[in-house]
Amino acid sequence: MSSELVELTNLLETVLTDTLTTTPAPDAYVVVAEVIHGSHLPPRLGRGLYCSAECAEHGVHELVGELAKEEGGSGLALPYEGRTIGCVVTRGGRMWAVQILAHSELPTG
């Protein structure tokens, strides 16, 4: 994973630590987009934390739409192995992968 994603993970750790109380909570889910082809850009973190992968599906669709609109491209989101994933291809030749990750699946710094 890229250093930008590690930085996002560290920021998420801080947010979770600050917002969670002492009662154990289930895993939180985030939506992350990374450039997998074309000119590099830092990873994008979707808006908000989700209580489940099913709830985070909305975030995948939202981030796919935002990226497609911002970069003038096309995007789609499909179910894959129990989680929705997204792909955005831009007119500039960049390809983004959008995925749902549990907090426990994020890389540690």
Side-chain angles (χ1 to χ4, degrees), residues 38-105:
S39 57
H40 176 74
L41 284 176
R44 289 263 307 257
L45 190 59
R47 295 185 223 163
L49 299 172
Y50 299 92
C51 61
S52 68
E54 292 79 22
C55 289
E57 290 176 7
H58 172 75
V60 171
H61 290 278
E62 187 176 70
L63 192 50
V64 164
E66 287 175 14
L67 289 168
K69 185 176 180 180
E70 288 172 13
E71 296 204 25
S74 297
L76 62 98
L78 299 168
Y80 177 73
E81 294 185 0
R83 287 190 188 173
T84 298
I85 60 169
C87 180
V88 178
V89 179
T90 70
R91 290 185 181 151
R94 188 176 292 131
M95 184 182 291
W96 291 84
V98 182
Q99 62 183 327
I100 299 168
L101 294 175
H103 172 257
S104 60
E105 296 171 332

